[in-house]
Amino acid sequence: VLARQARNADALHYLGLILHSKKDDASKQEGLKLVEKSLKIMPGNQNFINNLSTLYIEAADWNTALKICTQVIAARPTFAGGHHNLGCVYRGLEQYAQAETCFLTALKFAPQNANIHANLGIVYALQGRLVAAGAKFAEAFNIDENCYDALAGMGQLLMTSSQFEESRLCLERAIAQRPTIATNYSNLGVTLAMQAKYSEALQTLLGGMAIDKDNYSCQARLIMVYGFLSRYNDADATFSALRALGTTPPSLFSSYLFVKLYDPTVTAEALFELHTEFGRMIEAPYRASWPTFIRDTAPNRRLKIGYVSGDFYDHPVANFVLPTLQNHDRAKYEIHCYSTYGVIDDTTKAIIKAANFWHSTAELSGEEIRDKIRADNLDILIDLSGHTARNILGLLAQRLAPIQMTWIGYPGTTGLTAMDYRI
């Protein structure tokens, strides 16, 4: 078509979308240029504008996408696609309440759109609202059993809930539909590793990194799988290569520290230095602004003790700590439990009963968790996670209580100077 009509806006636009869907950066850039050229020819085409916002969302250019989505909604306030894309932008910006509002608005105008239901489910999952997330994925499947976003979201939700075989089936279907999304390989890698299929997990994660070498989720989980396989040299090499690129987010560093605990060649001194290096890195932005806690020194008042964990369910940590919680002297101690995980089972219910105050923080942002714990005015805060899943070491580095301890969850130091004791 373009050979005959070089300024055919439809041909330019759709060729641009096709090119942008390819794997290589050159095609993506050329595709974006063609889409933008089509809009210069037809500047009022709202579908074109909305598709352009999708490309910027895929590129994680949130500020540009935000401007375009706002423009689309202003022109077409009842257009579900505009509200949906704006929800995707807010999700990318980790502004989940705004994202939820956008997806709910989109559903008013397109209640049978499976993708919108699924993306709302993903936002619920990111907030720790796992039951609501599962319900939304189910609604999406009722509309379209092959809905990609529902398959990917449900696969991750099932993985989080330790339903690994069901998770594997969903994620494999998601990958079959869209084989260039590295996050699905990362989640499938975990699912396979938790089924002790370590070689399959390794190949899956390497496949994800072949698609996106900078995907830190794949990187962190690759280090974990190398640990399962006792390939400590490969774990070291992977971590060193990532550090050379300047990509060492705390979760990645924690994964590496966890693996190094089991490396029979590492010395105690080297292991300690690695942990304290993590501590220096994570505390650096906060140490100068640690709060000064003013305590009530009345000798007979009850001490407030808080426990924070992502394992307050049928898990070794919970089963170990439950008798302690049940046998605290309530005349002397007021017990607060902070759960960073949304799952509630019979063990969770027993812990809720054993505590004076139960706080579910899975749906809160890091800042909200920090402010909540500080507002509770604890005397002692006890971390039960260390460098394991769903920890809040980044918040503990900001000092949430005058005395901070770590216990049970991790057999080593956290590396934080803000941690006063290890039990």
Side-chain angles (χ1 to χ4, degrees), residues 168-370:
R168 180 185 66 79
L169 295 172
C170 282
L171 291 168
E172 286 178 345
R173 288 175 63 193
I175 289 171
Q177 281 195 38
R178 298 191 187 176
T180 60
I181 308 298
T183 301
N184 292 328
Y185 291 83
S186 172
N187 291 332
L188 180 58
V190 171
T191 294
L192 292 168
M194 292 300 102
Q195 294 179 296
K197 298 176 180 178
Y198 302 127
S199 296
E200 291 179 50
L202 177 61
Q203 294 307 312
T204 299
L205 293 168
L206 290 173
M209 290 185 68
I211 294 166
D212 180 5
K213 62 181 175 58
D214 296 324
N215 186 289
Y216 87 86
S217 178
C218 281
Q219 294 162 352
R221 288 162 173 176
L222 180 63
I223 290 172
M224 176 191 73
V225 170
Y226 278 140
F228 282 133
L229 291 167
S230 300
R231 291 173 56 174
Y232 300 109
N233 289 339
D234 288 320
D236 292 341
T238 302
F239 185 69
S240 297
L242 296 172
R243 298 201 75 184
L245 297 172
T247 52
T248 51
S251 59
L252 179 66
F253 208 145
S254 284
S255 292
Y256 180 64
L257 292 175
F258 188 87
V259 166
K260 293 302 286 183
L261 284 178
Y262 302 96
D263 182 349
T265 67
V266 70
T267 66
E269 292 78 10
L271 189 61
F272 180 72
E273 175 55 31
L274 278 171
H275 283 78
T276 55
E277 183 180 351
F278 171 89
R280 289 191 296 271
M281 177 191 79
I282 203 170
E283 287 181 347
Y286 309 115
R287 192 177 290 111
S289 59
W290 280 348
T292 300
F293 295 93
I294 301 173
R295 312 310 303 157
D296 178 356
T297 57
N300 295 320
R301 73 174 179 87
R302 292 197 301 173
L303 288 179
K304 294 183 177 181
I305 303 176
Y307 295 87
V308 58
S309 178
D311 300 321
F312 283 141
Y313 61 102
D314 186 15
H315 184 281
V317 167
N319 293 326
F320 192 95
V321 78
L322 179 57
T324 298
L325 299 177
Q326 292 171 329
N327 287 282
H328 268 302
D329 185 341
R330 297 309 175 84
K332 295 181 179 179
Y333 308 112
E334 176 182 295
I335 305 304
H336 294 249
C337 288
Y338 302 87
S339 174
T340 63
Y341 190 34
V343 167
I344 294 180
D345 61 11
D346 289 342
T347 303
T348 315
K349 292 174 183 176
I351 291 172
I352 293 172
K353 184 178 179 181
N356 295 101
F357 297 95
W358 170 261
H359 309 281
S360 179
T361 67
E363 298 179 19
L364 303 182
S365 68
E367 292 78 9
E368 289 171 329
I369 296 172
R370 177 197 64 201

Side-chain angles (χ1 to χ4, degrees), residues 5 66 111-114 116 160 210 216 237 280 284 289 291 293-294 357 403 416 418:
Q5 300 175 10
L66 181 62
Q112 291 302 304
N113 187 303
I116 300 173
T160 303
Y216 87 86
R280 289 191 296 271
S289 59
F293 295 93
I294 301 173
F357 297 95
I403 296 176
L416 302 182

Side-chain angles (χ1 to χ4, degrees), residues 283 290 396-399 401 403-405 415-420:
E283 287 181 347
W290 280 348
L396 292 162
Q398 301 174 48
R399 271 216 173 268
I403 296 176
Q404 297 189 154
M405 303 180 179
L416 302 182
T417 62
M419 194 68 71
D420 302 296

